[in-house]
Amino acid sequence: MAKIVTIIDIGSNSVRMVIYEKTSRYAFHLLHEEKSKVRISQDAYKHNGELQEVPMQRTFDALKDFLTISESFKSRKILCVATSALRDAPNKAEFLQKVQKKLKLNIKVISGEKEAYFGAIACANLLPMQHNAMSIDIGGGSTEIASIDKDNVANPFSLKLGTVRLKELFFDNNDIAGAIKYIDDALKDIPTKNITTLIGIGGTFRAVSAAIQKRQNYPLEKIHAYEYNIEIFQQYLEDVLQAQSQQELKKLFVKSDRFDVIKPGVLILQRVLQKLRVSNIITSGVGVREGVYLSDLLRNSKHKFPHNYNTSVRYILDSHLSNKTYANNLTHVTKKIFDLTSEYFQIDTQYRYELAIAAKLYPTGSSVHFYSQNKHTYYLIQSALEYGFTHKSILLIATLTRYAKSKLPSTTHIQKYKELLPDTHTCNVLSFLLSLSIALLSHRPRNIDFILSFHNNTLQVQSDNSLYLAKEATQKLECSHPDFHITFLS
């Protein structure tokens, strides 16, 4: 696969482009993203699906500029897909031929089932593992649904339900009853058995979740993997549908460019919830574009990452770690100390994974600036540890690296993020264990040159070397357990 790849997605409402760069076999990151609200389907549904001249020209102009941007990044492969608006249009050949002839761009019009599959494999690979989940992607012209259980995708299918379609057919005529009947008829055959989590893909769902974040004063600015309960979701949907003016929608944190399509999208979601018994809502920041990319990247592995592989962790290490030996040693020592002392400190073993990831990523911030390593590692993790982690895991890992080496997490920090962080005792112990591991490796050995054991509240460090720097560093550590001791044996 080419190192730099451009993905273009022509939807009914917007045309979007992402440019990805591979950093190793399965690791990648986003180089650039562009979006244009061309609304290619404008007025099409009033004319039997026929694309209109002005929207087609807008889309052509946007694609022309997208290709210029792609060329500036020296992209070696372009994958362009089109969904509902072109799929349904009787005159799509006219547009496709013009683009191919004048822009030399081949557009692949994908089926609704393929569109649903692409969105679902993006979620299955790039969200925290989900059981008994259903993905839903509400676009301008169609809605795609698929079942997800762990990394398995099943039952992808497409419905002729979309925000622009409903707006033009029903909402423009204030025929809400007609819209409800149309939606319910389309939803008759969707699978509902054992679905406990609803995964939302696409602009409508992200707009709703972003508004709920603001309404709830959510402490983390990250939409991907944002989770909340069904009651909050249902109440917000009802409030949007009851809003009588744009001013009321604005107070609900709806952006102005969604005023005309938010209600059709919300009505679809509300009617879907009538059929499901879900208890949890999770927002996906990824969708069709990422699915198209992953289907190419993972084409030889059944569209799945290797077991226990995380692409975001690998990308950060690829891009920001020069000394892999130290990071591996630090991870090994941290896990060993956790295994020896977790029972003593009464720390749940579930936190071993986050602690190990914090240890592995801790050195990466020095690639930005050595003297502010902790600050930069904290920022890197909060922003770039994007895929496969819950917000709670991301914030805990970031917090541990921010306070590593000497002091415990501040009370102010824990209070600010109390919605996402474990209790103070757990945060303090995990932070101390990482700091202790860093201290023990102060001399940066190529191979770990000490043996650890734990007896009678004392961590014993046995080595044939003096470990002078380690002894000095451990004396500076702040520990919340005064009866915990460290002894060096030769």
Side-chain angles (χ1 to χ4, degrees):
M1 186 180 185
K3 185 177 182 181
I4 299 178
V5 176
T6 298
I7 311 292
I8 299 174
D9 170 18
I10 304 172
S12 300
N13 197 41
S14 300
V15 56
R16 298 169 182 266
M17 177 181 70
V18 289
I19 302 175
Y20 287 115
E21 179 183 37
K22 281 179 61 176
T23 57
S24 54
R25 184 177 182 185
Y26 293 124
F28 64 92
H29 71 117
L30 181 68
L31 281 179
H32 188 78
E33 183 176 34
E34 199 68 49
K35 170 189 173 182
S36 179
K37 190 177 177 182
V38 296
R39 196 165 285 185
I40 191 173
S41 64
Q42 185 175 24
D43 294 329
Y45 303 112
K46 297 177 180 178
H47 296 86
N48 300 314
E50 290 268 353
L51 299 176
Q52 303 300 294
E53 188 60 36
V54 172
M56 281 196 290
Q57 186 60 46
R58 286 198 301 258
T59 307
F60 178 89
D61 292 340
L63 289 173
K64 184 177 180 180
D65 285 351
F66 280 10
L67 294 178
T68 302
I69 295 170
S70 177
E71 185 179 353
S72 76
F73 283 94
K74 296 182 172 61
S75 178
R76 291 294 177 258
K77 180 184 283 191
I78 299 175
L79 302 173
C80 181
V81 298
T83 55
S84 175
L86 279 170
R87 187 164 61 230
D88 297 341
N91 62 334
K92 59 177 173 283
E94 173 190 341
F95 180 77
L96 296 174
Q97 290 168 7
K98 178 181 178 180
V99 171
Q100 201 285 323
K101 182 179 179 180
K102 295 189 175 182
L103 301 182
K104 309 302 181 189
L105 176 65
N106 292 316
I107 299 173
K108 184 176 182 179
V109 181
I110 58 175
S111 68
E113 290 72 24
K114 197 69 174 179
E115 183 180 357
Y117 177 75
F118 282 144
I121 65 166
C123 293
N125 280 291
L126 301 177
L127 278 171
M129 186 178 292
Q130 301 295 320
H131 298 274
N132 301 322
M134 185 178 84
S135 62
I136 180 168
D137 184 356
I138 300 174
S142 64
T143 291
E144 279 63 48
I145 291 173
S147 300
I148 299 175
D149 191 56
K150 295 188 285 189
D151 59 358
N152 298 309
V153 173
N155 305 319
F157 65 96
S158 180
L159 305 170
K160 290 187 181 297
L161 292 176
T163 57
V164 179
R165 187 188 295 268
L166 287 177
K167 171 188 177 297
E168 294 186 4
L169 293 180
F170 299 101
F171 278 77
D172 285 352
N173 303 318
N174 200 31
D175 183 12
I176 308 306
I180 291 173
K181 184 180 186 305
Y182 182 84
I183 294 169
D184 289 349
D185 286 344
L187 295 175
K188 281 180 181 177
D189 298 324
I190 70 168
T192 59
K193 188 176 180 181
N194 298 326
I195 301 297
T196 58
T197 297
L198 186 66
I199 300 174
I201 304 172
T204 293
F205 211 105
R206 286 194 294 270
V208 168
S209 292
I212 290 174
Q213 277 191 344
K214 291 179 180 178
R215 205 181 198 191
Q216 301 292 119
N217 292 316
Y218 191 70
L220 193 62
E221 291 185 20
K222 188 182 286 286
I223 201 69
H224 183 65
Y226 173 49
E227 296 185 60
Y228 48 97
N229 65 50
I230 186 67
E231 289 78 16
I232 291 173
F233 188 54
Q234 288 174 319
Q235 184 58 60
Y236 183 80
L237 299 183
E238 183 61 29
D239 290 345
V240 169
L241 291 174
Q242 292 297 322
Q244 298 298 312
S245 65
Q246 291 185 353
Q247 189 61 34
E248 289 184 28
L249 288 174
K250 189 175 181 180
K251 289 180 180 178
L252 292 169
F253 303 103
V254 177
K255 293 184 178 179
S256 58
D257 64 349
R258 287 210 168 262
F259 283 163
D260 61 337
V261 292
I262 190 67
K263 285 193 175 185
V266 161
L267 185 61
I268 293 171
L269 287 171
Q270 190 180 67
R271 303 312 294 179
V272 168
L273 291 180
Q274 296 279 340
K275 296 180 66 68
L276 302 178
R277 292 186 177 181
V278 300
S279 56
N280 193 44
I281 304 295
I282 184 165
T283 312
S284 173
V286 298
V288 172
R289 292 171 297 287
E290 289 77 13
V292 171
Y293 181 75
L294 291 176
S295 70
D296 194 31
L297 178 71
L298 305 174
R299 60 186 177 276
N300 296 321
S301 58
K302 298 180 179 179
H303 297 168
K304 299 177 182 180
F305 284 114
H307 185 60
N308 289 332
Y309 180 90
N310 184 277
T311 186
S312 286
V313 171
R314 186 74 259 163
Y315 154 66
I316 295 173
L317 295 175
D318 288 345
S319 304
H320 298 281
L321 184 66
S322 57
N323 190 339
K324 291 182 172 60
T325 298
Y326 174 66
N328 290 336
N329 287 344
L330 183 58
T331 305
H332 177 83
V333 171
T334 303
K335 290 194 289 188
K336 179 65 175 179
I337 295 176
F338 181 91
D339 293 340
L340 290 172
T341 64
S342 61
E343 185 175 349
Y344 164 77
F345 284 119
Q346 297 183 321
I347 296 295
D348 196 310
T349 55
Q350 73 177 43
Y351 295 112
R352 185 180 190 267
Y353 178 68
E354 284 93 344
L355 180 61
I357 296 296
K360 187 174 288 291
L361 297 181
Y362 168 72
T364 57
S366 62
S367 69
V368 182
H369 191 262
F370 177 79
Y371 289 112
S372 51
Q373 173 182 326
N374 286 31
K375 179 178 73 174
H376 291 300
T377 303
Y378 176 75
Y379 173 76
L380 266 175
I381 292 171
Q382 273 209 340
S383 57
L385 197 61
E386 186 76 16
Y387 301 135
F389 290 91
T390 66
H391 285 192
K392 290 182 178 181
S393 289
I394 292 169
L395 193 58
L396 176 58
I397 293 166
T399 296
L400 296 180
T401 60
R402 178 178 179 177
Y403 291 94
K405 213 168 180 180
S406 58
K407 60 185 179 180
L408 299 177
S410 72
T411 303
T412 303
H413 180 85
I414 293 177
Q415 184 64 28
K416 178 180 179 180
Y417 295 107
K418 64 180 180 179
E419 181 179 344
L420 296 171
L421 286 173
D423 60 84
T424 301
H425 166 74
T426 299
C427 289
N428 285 344
V429 169
L430 294 175
S431 179
F432 170 71
L433 296 184
L434 178 57
S435 296
L436 175 56
S437 303
I438 294 168
L440 291 175
L441 290 170
S442 294
H443 56 308
R444 302 263 180 146
R446 174 168 290 277
N447 298 303
I448 298 170
D449 54 357
F450 50 84
I451 298 172
L452 299 172
S453 58
F454 188 68
H455 307 283
N456 300 322
N457 303 351
T458 301
L459 182 71
Q460 297 180 349
V461 186
Q462 187 168 1
S463 177
D464 293 335
N465 296 325
S466 68
L467 302 183
Y468 176 80
L469 291 178
K471 293 175 184 176
E472 186 178 42
T474 56
Q475 292 174 2
K476 299 176 182 178
L477 297 179
E478 183 181 355
C479 180
S480 58
H481 284 64
D483 58 341
F484 178 82
H485 303 287
I486 305 168
T487 300
F488 289 83
L489 305 174
S490 56

